[in-house]
Amino acid sequence: MKARFITIEGCEGSGKTTILKKLCAEFKEKNIKFFATREPGGSKISEQIRNVILNVENTKMDYMTEALLYAASRRQHLEEIVKPALNDGAIVLCDRYLDSSLAYQGYARGLGIDEVYAINMYATSGFLPELTIYIDIPVEVGLERITSNNRDVNRLDLEKVSFHSKVREGYLEIAKKYSDRIVTIDGVGTPDEVYERVKKVIFERL
């Protein structure tokens, strides 16, 4: 199956956004029709939900509430942005999708991977990407990148290192569980080195 809906996943500071920008530049150069977006967010309503989820003041947010908000944002984004772009013949590149919920809320928050998967299957009517790239890096490396890049800190960035370690464990388990569509890429190295690894996988599937 050719990949038309491609998602990029990873822990905080994994370099997803940088890789996505490089992909967009290459797609433009090769005149490949594409649409780039992100989660949570990507549409007006979904961005409003994103602001609630990531607001550093919302420290009392219940874990299930968090998972449901992500699923609601995902539904709106999918129906309003992703599906129309695919129907228009574009390849959709998305920074995060449901695997983030499986790793963060399902595994790290302890809600259960299968349980969160079920919530998202309902929210998305079972809509899955053909290809997911998971960029794997040591937790300490990712958190150091966030600090050194002076990126805006969100509510999840404030979690303890142990939480981020669980997120990585969750991603690795999910990558094995859904190995038919998830490809794990070593995220250690320069942005160009990591991009070449990602590019090779993606262009083999286009």
Side-chain angles (χ1 to χ4, degrees):
M1 179 186 294
K2 289 186 177 181
R4 293 189 57 232
F5 180 29
I6 301 171
T7 58
I8 301 178
E9 296 280 355
C11 300
E12 307 302 318
S14 61
K16 296 180 291 78
T17 306
T18 299
I19 295 300
L20 187 60
K21 287 179 180 178
K22 287 180 176 291
L23 273 173
C24 291
E26 181 128 5
F27 276 33
K28 283 181 181 178
E29 184 182 324
K30 294 186 180 334
N31 292 315
I32 298 173
K33 188 174 183 179
F34 75 95
F35 185 87
T37 186
R38 72 168 183 178
E39 283 203 357
S43 72
K44 184 177 179 180
I45 294 172
S46 297
E47 288 288 342
Q48 291 172 356
I49 299 174
R50 175 191 177 93
N51 290 336
V52 173
I53 295 171
L54 299 181
N55 191 321
V56 294
E57 296 180 1
N58 291 338
T59 55
K60 294 183 179 180
M61 186 177 293
D62 176 76
Y63 293 164
M64 183 61 79
T65 300
E66 183 180 78
L68 291 169
L69 284 172
Y70 273 115
S73 174
R74 182 161 298 127
R75 171 69 185 191
Q76 184 66 29
H77 176 241
L78 182 64
E79 294 299 316
E80 187 179 356
I81 302 296
V82 175
K83 286 183 178 179
L86 290 170
N87 290 336
D88 191 41
I91 292 170
V92 175
L93 304 172
C94 191
D95 185 339
R96 295 196 183 283
Y97 190 60
L98 67 80
D99 295 301
S100 286
S101 289
L102 302 185
Y104 281 80
Q105 286 74 49
Y107 190 91
R109 296 294 198 203
L111 296 180
I113 290 175
D114 292 340
E115 287 77 5
V116 174
Y117 186 82
I119 290 170
N120 281 274
M121 284 298 95
Y122 175 74
T124 65
S125 300
F127 199 86
L128 291 169
E130 289 91 10
L131 174 64
T132 298
I133 300 291
Y134 164 56
I135 303 173
D136 182 53
I137 59 167
V139 171
E140 295 76 11
V141 174
L143 296 179
E144 174 60 31
R145 285 178 181 175
I146 291 173
T147 303
S148 61
N149 290 339
N150 295 316
R151 192 194 78 180
D152 290 340
V153 175
N154 62 51
R155 187 171 60 85
L156 293 179
D157 293 332
L158 301 177
E159 294 285 353
K160 296 179 180 179
V161 174
S162 58
F163 171 78
H164 293 288
S165 295
K166 283 186 176 181
V167 170
R168 186 188 184 198
E169 289 174 12
Y171 267 125
L172 291 171
E173 182 169 321
I174 292 160
K176 290 180 182 177
K177 189 178 180 71
Y178 303 110
S179 59
D180 56 325
R181 66 174 175 83
I182 301 179
V183 177
T184 301
I185 299 292
D186 182 3
V188 176
T190 66
D192 286 341
E193 288 171 341
V194 178
Y195 175 64
E196 287 301 318
R197 296 169 196 155
V198 173
K199 172 184 167 182
K200 182 176 185 295
V201 173
I202 288 180
F203 276 84
E204 284 176 351
R205 295 287 293 272
L206 291 180

